[in-house]
Amino acid sequence: MNTLVSPTATTRDAVQPQPRSIPMTSAAEPIEILLVEDNADEAYLTINALRDGRVRNRVTLVGDGVEAMAYLRREGKYANAPRPHLILLDLYMPRKNGREVLAEVKEDPDLRSIPVVMMTNSLEQQDILAAYNLHVNCYVLKPVDVGQLIQVVRTIEHFWLCVVTLAA
């Protein structure tokens, strides 16, 4: 909500919440999200939280960094994969970790404009600093509590798909 302050209002009445309409999306097509997550339970919760959101989106799940890069580069079985508007990326995965995927995405001129949200259980400062040095768009701690995880995913969805204008 926006807050308006009236110059003639008393202190108690000075701050009045005003409703604000935020456009959900200007695109006619659903938003494409690439979820890179090796934990089946966390992937399931994330997908369900996104499915229950207010924004039309399609989520593609891949289980590790090698598969993520094949998807993003449209290789093999992903030859006809749509370009994602947003990448939700786990940090610790088999074969190729999130930091390696992030580095490849941000070094590739065709991919670097795709926002990457690092979703991880790590609060290690070295992991956070490394992600930002590789130009992650944001670093989000995955809560242990299921309800909180769903709320975090919905907050990410709201920000990246309702507030921010994404490149086509």
Side-chain angles (χ1 to χ4, degrees), residues 27 83-85 110 113-114 165-168:
R83 177 184 169 88
H85 295 93
D110 294 330
S113 65
I114 302 171
T165 301
L166 297 172

Side-chain angles (χ1 to χ4, degrees), residues 70-112:
Y71 181 92
L72 290 166
R73 291 185 175 135
R74 297 177 175 145
E75 298 170 345
K77 67 182 180 181
Y78 300 114
N80 296 318
R83 177 184 169 88
H85 295 93
L86 178 67
I87 301 170
L88 302 179
L89 179 63
D90 189 21
L91 179 56
Y92 292 109
M93 297 177 294
R95 300 200 303 160
K96 185 177 285 198
N97 68 40
R99 194 171 15 256
E100 294 168 312
V101 172
L102 177 63
E104 288 185 44
V105 167
K106 294 303 180 179
E107 288 173 359
D108 187 322
D110 294 330
L111 302 175
R112 73 171 54 126

Side-chain angles (χ1 to χ4, degrees), residues 135-152:
H135 308 289
V136 74
N137 294 89
C138 63
Y139 189 101
V140 177
L141 182 66
K142 290 183 203 172
V144 177
D145 177 76
V146 172
Q148 289 177 347
L149 176 62
I150 291 169
Q151 184 58 43
V152 164

Side-chain angles (χ1 to χ4, degrees), residues 5-7 12 15 20-21 23 35 39 41 46 70 72 83 89 96 99 107 112-114 116 122 129 153 166:
V5 179
S6 168
R12 196 179 96 184
V15 179
R20 185 176 98 157
S21 175
L35 174 59
N39 181 306
D41 292 334
T46 301
L72 290 166
R83 177 184 169 88
L89 179 63
K96 185 177 285 198
R99 194 171 15 256
E107 288 173 359
R112 73 171 54 126
S113 65
I114 302 171
V116 178
S122 175
L129 184 59
V153 170
L166 297 172

